[in-house]
Amino acid sequence: MKFCRTAALFAMCSSAWAVSGYTVQQIKEFIQSAIEQKNPDKDVAATLRKMKLSERLDLNTVEALQGQGAGPKTVAVLKALASESESLPQAAPAPQKPVYVPPPPPSSEDQAKLLDEVRDYAVNYTRRLPDFICLEQTRRFVDTTGRDSWRPTDIISARLSYFNQREDYKLISQNDRVITDASYTSVGGATSTGDFGSTMERIFARKSNTRIEWERWATLHKRRMHVFSYRVPLEYSDFSIRSSQDAKDPGVTVLAGYHGEIFVDRDLSAIMRITKEADNIPASFPVQQASETLDYDYIKLGDSEFLLPLSVDVRMHSVRLWLKNVKEFRLYRKFSADAVIKFDAEQSPPPK
């Protein structure tokens, strides 16, 4: 099959350029496509022998293709083509890739207007949410190298209820072990709560004295975003980090300032992502770094769509240990007294 694709590509090319021969750029594209498709080296070399050049192929180009993954047989044919093409005209320079020029930033007046809209949206966000339940699944990882060599530790499932603007977590299982009548924090290790509006509301609360500035344009989920940077000073922050040895240890808690970025959909003026990184953590505290990325998306509840948390990536560094929690919110349902969530092991994604 791979050889057929290579031969088909050659046949298509030869019909268009049989008279004038192939340019160096066309040879490069052919080799790069063959490398990407993992075509056998001997088949690529056999096809390449039938190609005639219209330009001079230099050895620097051959070496570059070899570095990209061209096999030894292919490289041998390329070197032969380079020798045969010495009398041909010099290859035309490769076409320049278009340089992306971002649109200009909004005017200061438009920025201020947008920020007022986003602030109103954020501080009233939880009031607009309906009562609902969902399944929260947290995959936890640990790394002892600091090189993103993550080792999965467990998967925690919890039933999250949002009722009267309050979150309530009911632990369901840890890995394959069903858990009843135990608190959410009883599993020990790193956990986090407050994803449904509290982070957003605290950033924009007047009492937080948050400094917010328009930063840049960005693309998220194929949509254009305003990106604002923000910083909440320690003296106005209520962001707490707790460190404990195990589930029975009450641990020690410190307050930290924090900063990050807010991604706002240009067309909807809705917050689609919030990043958060702790500042001013005492040097003597076991946790030295803490950050999270919270993503939102539109979820249908009943006949309406609401912007709700989709996933959270939480990371912490304590002494020689790096921790990562990846939370996903699934199976959203409208809240009722008899509402239930049915799930099984197949709905739990495997650790990555």
Side-chain angles (χ1 to χ4, degrees), residues 28-48:
K28 289 168 62 176
E29 290 174 358
F30 168 70
I31 299 298
Q32 289 164 349
S33 175
I35 293 170
E36 183 179 344
Q37 295 179 16
K38 299 181 180 179
N39 297 138
D41 181 29
K42 65 176 183 178
D43 296 341
V44 178
T47 303
L48 195 60

Side-chain angles (χ1 to χ4, degrees), residues 169-215:
Y169 295 82
K170 178 178 175 55
L171 194 60
I172 296 175
S173 67
Q174 184 176 21
N175 294 331
D176 296 327
R177 182 171 62 92
V178 176
I179 300 176
T180 57
D181 300 325
S183 68
Y184 182 73
T185 57
S186 66
V187 294
T191 58
S192 63
T193 58
D195 304 309
F196 287 82
S198 58
T199 295
M200 186 188 302
E201 186 174 2
R202 288 167 182 170
I203 290 172
F204 286 92
R206 297 290 182 182
K207 65 180 181 180
S208 296
N209 284 270
T210 308
R211 179 181 177 181
I212 305 176
E213 296 179 346
W214 193 91
E215 187 73 21

Side-chain angles (χ1 to χ4, degrees), residues 129-261:
L129 289 182
D131 296 333
F132 61 84
I133 65 171
C134 70
L135 176 67
E136 179 195 88
Q137 291 189 324
T138 304
R139 291 174 288 147
R140 303 199 294 184
F141 304 81
V142 64
D143 172 28
T144 57
T145 66
R147 300 175 182 174
D148 282 343
S149 299
W150 297 105
R151 176 176 58 83
T153 58
D154 59 5
I155 299 177
I156 302 170
S157 297
R159 178 185 184 270
L160 192 155
S161 304
Y162 187 83
F163 181 71
N164 286 340
Q165 300 178 30
R166 287 191 173 186
E167 299 172 29
D168 179 70
Y169 295 82
K170 178 178 175 55
L171 194 60
I172 296 175
S173 67
Q174 184 176 21
N175 294 331
D176 296 327
R177 182 171 62 92
V178 176
I179 300 176
T180 57
D181 300 325
S183 68
Y184 182 73
T185 57
S186 66
V187 294
T191 58
S192 63
T193 58
D195 304 309
F196 287 82
S198 58
T199 295
M200 186 188 302
E201 186 174 2
R202 288 167 182 170
I203 290 172
F204 286 92
R206 297 290 182 182
K207 65 180 181 180
S208 296
N209 284 270
T210 308
R211 179 181 177 181
I212 305 176
E213 296 179 346
W214 193 91
E215 187 73 21
R216 68 183 193 279
W217 292 106
T219 301
L220 181 66
H221 306 312
K222 299 181 180 180
R223 296 184 65 85
R224 178 66 67 189
M225 300 283 162
H226 297 277
V227 180
F228 290 89
S229 62
Y230 73 91
R231 185 175 296 274
V232 177
L234 173 60
E235 56 269 30
Y236 299 104
S237 174
D238 57 2
F239 175 36
S240 62
I241 304 172
R242 184 175 69 91
S243 175
S244 62
Q245 297 297 320
D246 52 51
K248 297 180 180 180
D249 177 18
V252 181
T253 301
V254 298
L255 286 175
Y258 57 99
H259 70 278
E261 292 184 330

Side-chain angles (χ1 to χ4, degrees), residues 25 247 290:
Q25 181 61 30

Side-chain angles (χ1 to χ4, degrees), residues 304-350:
S304 302
E305 284 192 334
F306 298 89
L307 194 65
L308 294 166
L310 182 68
S311 63
V312 189
D313 187 307
V314 180
R315 307 200 180 197
M316 287 180 278
H317 174 206
S318 58
V319 193
R320 290 178 294 276
L321 199 63
W322 286 260
L323 305 172
K324 177 173 73 169
N325 288 5
V326 179
K327 296 202 296 185
E328 293 180 343
F329 302 95
R330 314 165 117 208
L331 305 178
Y332 279 96
R333 300 284 187 272
K334 275 193 171 182
F335 182 90
S336 65
D338 56 351
V340 297
I341 297 177
K342 294 182 179 180
F343 71 100
D344 53 37
E346 292 182 357
Q347 292 172 321
S348 298

